[in-house]
Amino acid sequence: MTETPRRSLNVGQILQRYGTIAILVALVIVATSMSNVFLTERNLLNVLRQISGTSLMAVGMLFVILTRGIDLSVGSVAALGSVLSALLVAQYGPGVSMLAALVVGGICGLVSGVLVAFLKLPPFVTTLAMMTVARGLAFIVSAGQPIMVGEPGAVITAFGAGFFAGLPYPVILMAVVFLVAGAVLVFTRYGRLVKAIGSNVEAVRLSGIPVAWYTMSVYVISGVLAAGAGIVSTSRTGVGSANIGVGAELDAIAAVVIGGASLMGGRGGVFNTFIGVIVLGIIANMMNLARVPGYHQQVFMGCIIVGAMLLQYASNWFRK
């Protein structure tokens, strides 16, 4: 009786499967050697709290990128969500203000989704326009001034500062969003079709699937999660500001790309995106501990994005 030989992984498959984890492990080793503060509970919780908003935007960005799209408006929609959640809380209470912010974020995503999916406008240009519109609305609504949530928003700020079972509430929210998104992509027909659209949109269309509706939906998801990130920012600072989220779309894209997702669509996962967000958080934390100036941090972040793209290219080259 002969034993069936096991298929061995080639270099490209190894890079694709374990490259993101290898980057994370290497960063943890470097960060630990640089500072004995890094592995303290306080610092690690601080890192997780800081990436909680970016993580929501990264999940939404993952859904969009899986369909071979892009959403450059997430940072501006987060700012609009932050402003609305702070502005409405005094008159309507925290529940209605947060719900309104999420609905407006979904509407922003809906507009982008309709233009991309039904009118066939380029995602880059469409979401770039929405980025400008949403940021402008945030400044108009707030009159260009930060809005304090004050006593009426005590529930919101309590969420940003509170803990449950030793974990900050924003971190728990982040974990829940990742778990739900992962379950949707792996176990539901919707998730499988989102990936299929990015892999071969024509085959999906010929199967009788309404591709435009699925494409539109991922932009709505991205908008809602971006507004949620804005609410998280308001809960942490107690202030709704139109200035938050500048450049956040780049962080979200970087997290997804570092996680191994293909910008050509069809490939990517929630777990690796989570690792990608953590990688960005650790890098930012390392540079803060090393007192690297802010402008220098932007240079390092750009180099990291290029490095992640090169790793992805290398994995594709080795697979061939």
Side-chain angles (χ1 to χ4, degrees):
M1 186 174 180
T2 59
E3 184 177 350
T4 303
R6 295 182 179 179
R7 294 177 59 186
S8 58
L9 296 176
N10 60 35
V11 177
Q13 290 172 324
I14 292 173
L15 285 174
Q16 183 181 342
R17 186 172 299 182
Y18 304 112
T20 307
I21 297 176
I23 293 172
L24 175 62
V25 172
L27 281 175
V28 170
I29 294 172
V30 172
T32 304
S33 64
M34 285 177 54
S35 173
N36 55 9
V37 176
F38 175 74
L39 284 181
T40 61
E41 180 182 357
R42 180 179 179 181
N43 185 64
L44 292 178
L45 287 178
N46 184 49
V47 171
L48 291 174
R49 193 195 296 269
Q50 288 177 343
I51 66 174
S52 56
T54 302
S55 68
L56 300 188
M57 289 184 278
V59 171
M61 189 68 71
L62 173 63
F63 276 81
V64 173
I65 286 177
L66 285 173
T67 63
R68 201 176 290 192
I70 199 77
D71 189 354
L72 300 179
S73 67
V74 291
S76 297
V77 174
L80 184 57
S82 173
V83 167
L84 289 175
S85 63
L87 181 67
L88 300 177
V89 69
Q91 186 172 357
Y92 299 104
V96 173
S97 67
M98 290 188 289
L99 180 61
L102 295 175
V103 169
V104 170
I107 292 173
C108 291
L110 178 65
V111 172
S112 296
V114 168
L115 294 175
V116 170
F118 291 95
L119 300 184
K120 308 300 181 184
L121 298 184
F124 184 92
V125 177
T126 301
T127 57
L128 183 64
M130 181 54 69
M131 177 179 73
T132 305
V133 170
R135 183 74 63 180
L137 288 174
F139 276 108
I140 291 171
V141 170
S142 64
Q145 300 297 321
I147 302 172
M148 305 292 294
V149 299
E151 184 61 30
V155 172
I156 297 177
T157 54
F159 176 83
F163 287 78
F164 178 78
L167 291 175
Y169 285 124
V171 175
I172 295 173
L173 174 63
M174 174 181 69
V176 170
V177 169
F178 272 109
L179 288 173
V180 171
V184 168
L185 286 178
V186 174
F187 299 113
T188 69
R189 180 174 182 267
Y190 174 84
R192 290 189 291 270
L193 285 174
V194 165
K195 284 189 173 184
I197 288 170
S199 299
N200 193 333
V201 65
E202 192 59 30
V204 176
R205 182 179 290 109
L206 292 175
S207 300
I209 305 298
V211 171
W213 288 96
Y214 281 88
T215 302
M216 180 190 70
S217 69
V218 298
Y219 287 91
V220 175
I221 291 172
S222 181
V224 171
L225 290 176
I231 296 172
V232 169
S233 174
T234 300
S235 73
R236 290 179 55 209
T237 62
V239 177
S241 174
N243 290 306
I244 72 159
V246 176
E249 58 280 347
L250 300 181
D251 291 337
I253 294 170
V256 175
V257 171
I258 291 172
S262 172
L263 292 175
M264 298 305 294
R267 193 178 81 228
V270 170
F271 175 74
N272 277 354
T273 299
F274 175 62
I275 299 297
V277 175
I278 293 179
V279 165
L280 292 181
I282 290 176
I283 292 169
N285 185 248
M286 285 170 56
M287 289 189 286
N288 287 334
L289 292 175
R291 301 184 185 279
V292 176
Y295 295 124
H296 294 69
Q297 292 187 20
Q298 295 179 13
V299 174
F300 283 118
M301 195 64 70
C303 292
I304 290 162
I305 296 172
V306 172
M309 290 296 295
L310 289 175
L311 181 63
Q312 186 182 112
Y313 175 80
S315 68
N316 291 332
W317 187 83
F318 278 115
R319 280 197 301 171
K320 294 177 181 178

